[in-house]
Amino acid sequence: MDKKLQSADGSITYYSHLFDECYHSLKDGAYNETIHKYIKPPFLFGNFSNRPLKILDICFGLGYNSFLSFEAYKNHPHLVQVIAPEIDKSVLDKIALLDYPNLTLDKKKILQQIENQCPVQLAPNFTLQVQFCDALIFIPTLQDIDIIYLDAFSQKSTPQFWNQIFFEMLYKILKPDGMIMSYSTHKTIYQNAKKAGFRVYKYDNQVCRKSSIFTKNLILNNEKLEII
């Protein structure tokens, strides 16, 4: 059975025996990691405020990225769709025992809809679709993605989500001015992303450890960003 753990910021995560690592950084904190590595960068460096959005969450896991995206975009003037593949259906049992900081959800109803693989209407302008599947098969069926959260388990545990072939897959589905965020700052991953055609930036959010941003045509200039 997977172990429930409290991370440094007080938020709860789990240790996955299936992948032999934690879902989040215990040092950074599950909540802080989600907010500062995934949710905030598109607001700080992108131009997504006046258009419909499609967000790809790789992978759904404990739901932090998807659910906190709802909090961030619930007043967005256009439709926001979050699409989240996930291989392990047992995450729903873990989510049922979690309390997300600064977020109130009718989890029982939401989890029932997710289990049935029905789109979840969290707000009139916000839908969440969790797809229990092999992400490598599912992702190529998508197109015109604005934002991608690349939050799979580590390169050691899931190398298929960090190689050049996978980055080439993401390049095909991401819009020209789209953005990818990831916790990983591994040199090999940077090389694979650049070979696939991405611009690569290391981001110092000054709250938790550095993270990464990948873009296609979008050129970012900010003192908190290091061009790789």
Side-chain angles (χ1 to χ4, degrees):
M1 184 176 180
D2 289 352
K3 186 177 180 180
K4 194 175 183 180
L5 299 169
Q6 186 177 52
S7 62
D9 63 5
S11 59
I12 302 300
T13 188
Y14 275 84
Y15 177 84
S16 170
H17 286 85
L18 178 63
F19 294 99
D20 195 26
E21 59 187 76
C22 290
Y23 282 88
H24 299 91
S25 165
L26 295 178
K27 182 177 180 180
D28 291 334
Y31 179 80
N32 276 341
E33 185 172 51
T34 302
I35 293 296
H36 295 287
K37 297 182 182 181
Y38 294 98
I39 304 300
K40 284 193 172 183
F43 289 92
L44 295 172
F45 309 119
N47 185 22
F48 303 107
S49 59
N50 292 307
R51 71 194 208 198
L53 295 177
K54 289 171 71 175
I55 300 173
L56 175 60
D57 184 6
I58 309 169
C59 292
F60 182 63
L62 299 180
Y64 272 86
N65 292 341
S66 292
F67 290 136
L68 290 175
S69 291
F70 162 65
E71 184 64 25
Y73 292 99
K74 63 184 180 183
N75 295 317
H76 192 74
H78 301 280
L79 178 64
V80 179
Q81 299 172 273
V82 175
I83 305 161
E86 175 57 50
I87 195 70
D88 180 14
K89 209 167 186 178
S90 74
V91 296
L92 300 182
D93 297 325
K94 302 177 184 69
I95 291 171
L97 301 175
L98 285 178
D99 290 316
Y100 301 97
N102 304 319
L103 186 61
T104 302
L105 296 168
D106 183 355
K107 283 197 299 179
K108 184 176 180 180
K109 180 180 179 181
I110 291 169
L111 291 174
Q112 185 176 37
Q113 291 176 289
I114 290 174
E115 186 172 13
N116 294 330
Q117 298 201 81
C118 298
V120 183
Q121 193 87 31
L122 294 176
N125 70 321
F126 191 101
T127 61
L128 168 63
Q129 175 72 59
V130 179
Q131 192 76 25
F132 290 102
C133 63
D134 183 340
L136 295 179
I137 296 174
F138 175 69
I139 289 172
T141 69
L142 303 174
Q143 59 183 357
D144 296 329
I145 302 296
D146 297 280
I147 296 168
I148 297 176
Y149 304 145
L150 180 48
D151 197 17
F153 284 104
S154 72
Q155 188 177 19
K156 178 180 178 181
S157 300
T158 58
Q160 66 272 27
F161 292 117
W162 304 102
N163 59 33
Q164 182 180 339
I165 293 172
F166 187 69
F167 275 103
E168 289 171 352
M169 185 187 299
L170 298 184
Y171 196 92
K172 290 178 181 178
I173 66 169
L174 187 70
K175 285 184 178 178
D177 61 347
M179 293 176 61
I180 300 176
M181 276 65 62
S182 181
Y183 67 88
S184 180
T185 58
H186 198 283
K187 182 179 178 180
T188 303
I189 292 168
Y190 284 170
Q191 292 172 344
N192 291 338
K194 291 177 79 170
K195 288 177 182 176
F198 284 106
R199 304 175 191 272
V200 180
Y201 303 87
K202 185 180 287 186
Y203 171 43
D204 183 4
N205 61 68
Q206 300 180 334
V207 176
C208 48
R209 288 180 298 174
K210 294 179 182 180
S211 58
S212 301
I213 298 173
F214 308 96
T215 67
K216 291 174 70 172
N217 296 351
L218 189 63
I219 299 174
L220 306 180
N221 291 291
N222 189 282
E223 61 182 8
K224 295 181 180 179
L225 297 172
E226 177 189 350
I227 301 173
I228 303 300

